[in-house]
Amino acid sequence: LRYNSDVTEPVMLVQVCELSSFGFFQRGSVREMITFFNKTIAKRTPLGQRQSVQNEEYYVHVYMRTDGLCACITCDAEYNPRVAFSLLTKMLEDFTSFYPGWLTEKRQESVVWPQLENDIVKYQDPANADQIMKIQRSLDETRDVLHQTIESVLQRGEKLEDLVERSGELSSQSKLFYKQAKRANSCCAVV
């Protein structure tokens, strides 16, 4: 989106929506609602600010740069806001490199930017967009493996305790047998 002093309404320069989770006949209406929310929220976001607005179970994360270039992500509550804002920052930087003439563009959805569609598909999983999320996922997997290992060691420990207890019983039975054998052999003397 572009929203500067030379336009009264935000200009949607490029938009990509991944709507496969919605029914075919719902997708047009959902896209219209997303466009409406994005333009409305962009209009109400001060220059140089970021904000998140909740609408039912969805969030619209908006980053309005000081030069009037704005990016929005509409996602569910599970998508980490920090990841969303880092992705918005990256997209805005990439877009200004791709299309330096954005500042004078006044036509709606006039820019064709294939990278955006690829990135939307790529970043459906927040861990693909953020190193911290990747590290967190790796740590979670490591933690799960350690928990399983500790549980199996504890189970083995219980089994070892049973063996030690049994060997202790075996030892006391051996001692008893030794004493009884000693008594039995003491009656006979070898001359």
Side-chain angles (χ1 to χ4, degrees):
L1 291 164
R2 177 178 87 78
Y3 189 57
N4 299 78
S5 58
D6 66 327
V7 291
T8 57
E9 290 293 317
V11 177
M12 182 70 71
L13 298 172
V14 62
Q15 180 178 16
V16 172
C17 297
E18 201 292 301
L19 303 174
S20 62
S21 62
F22 294 95
F24 180 78
F25 295 109
Q26 295 175 321
R27 292 177 187 169
S29 299
V30 171
R31 183 180 169 93
E32 286 177 12
M33 291 299 294
I34 289 172
T35 302
F36 171 75
F37 288 132
N38 289 347
K39 286 184 174 185
T40 303
I41 296 167
K43 197 173 182 180
R44 296 177 182 178
T45 302
L47 294 175
Q49 297 291 313
R50 301 168 196 244
Q51 69 174 338
S52 297
V53 178
Q54 183 178 2
N55 179 43
E56 297 176 11
E57 70 267 17
Y58 297 101
Y59 284 84
V60 179
H61 302 290
V62 180
Y63 176 29
M64 174 70 78
R65 290 191 341 185
T66 55
D67 58 6
L69 186 61
C70 179
C72 305
I73 292 179
T74 303
C75 55
D76 59 14
E78 292 178 20
Y79 205 90
N80 187 313
R82 184 183 49 74
V83 175
F85 285 118
S86 66
L87 181 58
L88 288 173
T89 302
K90 178 190 177 304
M91 291 295 145
L92 288 172
E93 289 170 1
D94 291 350
F95 182 76
T96 54
S97 298
F98 172 78
Y99 191 70
W102 69 269
L103 196 56
T104 57
E105 187 62 63
K106 294 185 179 181
R107 297 172 295 157
Q108 298 288 335
E109 297 192 41
S110 59
V111 179
V112 177
W113 189 32
Q115 178 187 340
L116 182 60
E117 193 163 333
N118 294 335
D119 286 346
I120 293 298
V121 171
K122 180 180 176 182
Y123 296 128
Q124 289 296 309
D125 180 6
N128 291 334
D130 187 46
Q131 285 296 103
I132 294 174
M133 290 289 289
K134 285 180 184 176
I135 292 168
Q136 183 64 46
R137 178 179 285 168
S138 176
L139 288 173
D140 290 344
E141 289 171 0
T142 303
R143 184 194 65 222
D144 292 343
V145 168
L146 283 174
H147 281 284
Q148 290 172 352
T149 304
I150 289 171
E151 285 176 11
S152 66
V153 166
L154 289 175
Q155 288 173 352
R156 283 188 213 138
E158 290 173 5
K159 291 177 184 173
L160 287 175
E161 285 177 16
D162 291 344
L163 287 174
V164 168
E165 191 175 303
R166 287 184 194 152
S167 70
E169 290 173 7
L170 188 65
S171 176
S172 63
Q173 287 178 356
S174 296
K175 288 178 185 177
L176 183 61
F177 175 76
Y178 174 73
K179 288 179 185 178
Q180 288 176 349
K182 192 174 179 183
R183 275 189 222 140
N185 290 336
S186 67
C187 68
C188 306
V190 177
V191 190

